[in-house]
Amino acid sequence: MSASVECIRDIGTAWKVIETAFSVTPTTGLRKDSNTTASATQSTLTTSMELQSALELLINHGVGHIIEEWFLEELRVHLQCRVAPVFTAHFNKELPPDTSVASYMCEVIQELYDSLAPYVLKLKQLEDLVNLYQIPTADNTDYSAVKNSTPTAKVSLLERAQTLFKAVLLPRYQLPERLYALVKRFYSAAMQVHHAIDDAVDKENDEEAGEGIRCLGCSSDADDCSCSNLTLAFRQINQQLYELDLLERFAGEAVTSVIHEKICSHVQHSCKGNFEVSYLRSLEHWLETKVVRWLSEVYRGSDACPRYSDPHVAASVEVYESRLHHLLYETYAAVRMEQLFNIIIEYPESEPAMLDLRRCLEKTNLRSQLVKSLKTALETRLLHPGVNTTDILTAYISGIRALRTLDPTGVILELVCEPVRKYLRTRDDTVRCIVSSLTDDSSGELADELIRGEPLLLEDSCQGEDDMFNWETWFPDPVDADPTKTSQSRRSSDIISMLVNIYGSKELFVNEYRTLLADRILSQFNYDTDKEIRYLELLKLRFGDSQLHYCEVMLKDVVDSKRMNALIHNAKLLGHQQMDPPINAMTLSAQFWPSFREDKLELPESIKRSLDSYTRNFETLKGNRTLCWKPHLGLVNLEIELKDRKVPVICSPVHATIIMHFQEQCSWTVDELSAVMHVPVSVLRRKITFWQSQGLLKEEKTDSFILIEEGESLSVPVRNVIDNRSLRGIVEKYVSPSRLLQC
């Protein structure tokens, strides 16, 4: 052994050898001089032998384990006193003018890397010696004497040093505000350049990129494009931070924020306001080919980088990718939830958007947020006095269809639409609007539902049914489902059943249809019942025959009235009495029709004589049956003959009685007409305005009216015109004074 090795006899000398071998000066590793390299090569063998002797001596004396601790302490002091102050000082001042973010970041990270690279080199050398000479460390523990214990994995010296880098240089996981802003700005620019390059590759003949004045990547003039410099800086900074194990701590939060903002802006730009196209698959493709690819370049680098094949980094990127997909689903769902009210209103054209949202709900936990958001939108935009009942029902029907597509279990529909159901119950015209839509060809949706002919499924009828009848396809209801209601009632109720379930009773709807049918028959005053019979048969499939028996009788009365009028007007009838003016009556069975409002009206004598003649003709045909007239109901077809013109008018019996009294005298006061007609003064004033609007009556003084014989009258729309001067009356049919006849 050489003399230099033989002289290492004490621990002090051995430790000096260790300090000399592993100490790092501030300039060590930054540059290499050719002269010092030659001299270092000549003394390599001697230094190695001295180092070996010093290590053996320290190990033999039981102090070998302090070598690593000493080195890490030296590293900590160097970091705290020299590296950290310089590093943080760069981010406590404003960015120098005329300096790009990329060049500044590149300079700062390069300086940090040069300061720590010598220590990384010495760390690797020391770790090799520790493994070669089996130098004990502070982590080594003799577990042989401890039974049933498992030793923890030994942390390498390099890993401990990298932990020290993060603890001293970036003591908090969240970067300081100014540093974070700078890092985010750099990575945002890098992502923009990356996407611009990808777009240019996808479009080989991209005229916009080739002929544009400004670069789409760096937003600089095309002649001063800095995309290549920024890309090089991006790769260099990521590689250096990776080698120091600072990449995640330094850039992780900024990269996540940049990606999140990019996803949000892309989703908003791509699909907001358009509901007729499915965007989710194209967004997933964009995420995988653009965003995840850029993320992989941040953490793994290009294919040629050594870290690209690092399994730990690859696994981390894969986990990150799944999180990004989840973020994409959440972002898309949030955008669609903001527009969900409009999507529902535009359904079924918006079905692709609803199906996309359904996929997102399956992959996220946003059901409760969606229910809350949609409830708020409905209460704000729909459930208030400014919206008429028909529009509310239209939106409710669209909501039923759309939310069934979104959630086939019907739970979201049940939760969201309960406030709509409660609000509709407070409106007086809800039942009327529903029934009108059911029997109106122009409404479309409900009329189509009625044609399907499915029986009603009321909520009470499903409470005891067994949901396990088809157990092979059974799925449990979501956790937010109402346990008091069965799954079958949510899944199988059609739209009409759900509308009826607003009140939970068939009788309300049958009675309303009965009233509506009476209004239609009496307002149209014709005998064509084919369309009404068709609706009645369809409604019987829904509500049952017994519920609609009264309506059947009402339509039968119309047919009988047509036949009766033909018989009564037959001059060959035995005992026939002439009627002037002629009468066509609608004869109704009192017990089957809705009750009519009782208004008093004294008709002119000529009209009463015609009504009496009609009654006697009826009694001649029907034996012991008679008629009770409702003089205030019906239509009168008049032709008013004046000095210079004839005016055809169709009006109510009250209006006809008013104008007919002016045949007797040309001037009447309201009080005089009220006494003759038995009509209240307030009602007469309203009715007379009709003749004033036609230019036939004029108020000469307060409550005194005269007939205008000459002058131009206003044109009057004529509807349901039949023979001139014929009155149509509405009557109720009675049999004997003691009982009603069942028809």
Side-chain angles (χ1 to χ4, degrees), residues 50-84:
E50 288 179 348
L51 183 59
Q52 179 181 356
S53 177
L55 288 171
E56 290 176 351
L57 181 63
L58 291 174
I59 293 172
N60 291 336
H61 283 79
V63 292
H65 64 277
I66 68 173
I67 297 176
E68 284 189 4
E69 303 305 320
W70 162 80
F71 186 82
L72 292 175
E73 180 62 20
E74 286 288 312
L75 176 60
R76 185 189 64 79
V77 173
H78 178 71
L79 288 173
Q80 289 181 335
C81 297
R82 294 178 177 273
V83 179

Side-chain angles (χ1 to χ4, degrees), residues 638-649 696 709 711 713-714 724:
L638 293 176
E639 186 178 83
I640 302 173
E641 188 174 332
L642 303 172
K643 288 183 179 181
D644 58 348
R645 65 195 185 279
K646 293 181 179 180
V647 182
V649 180
L696 295 177
E709 290 281 352
S713 63
L714 300 178
N724 291 339

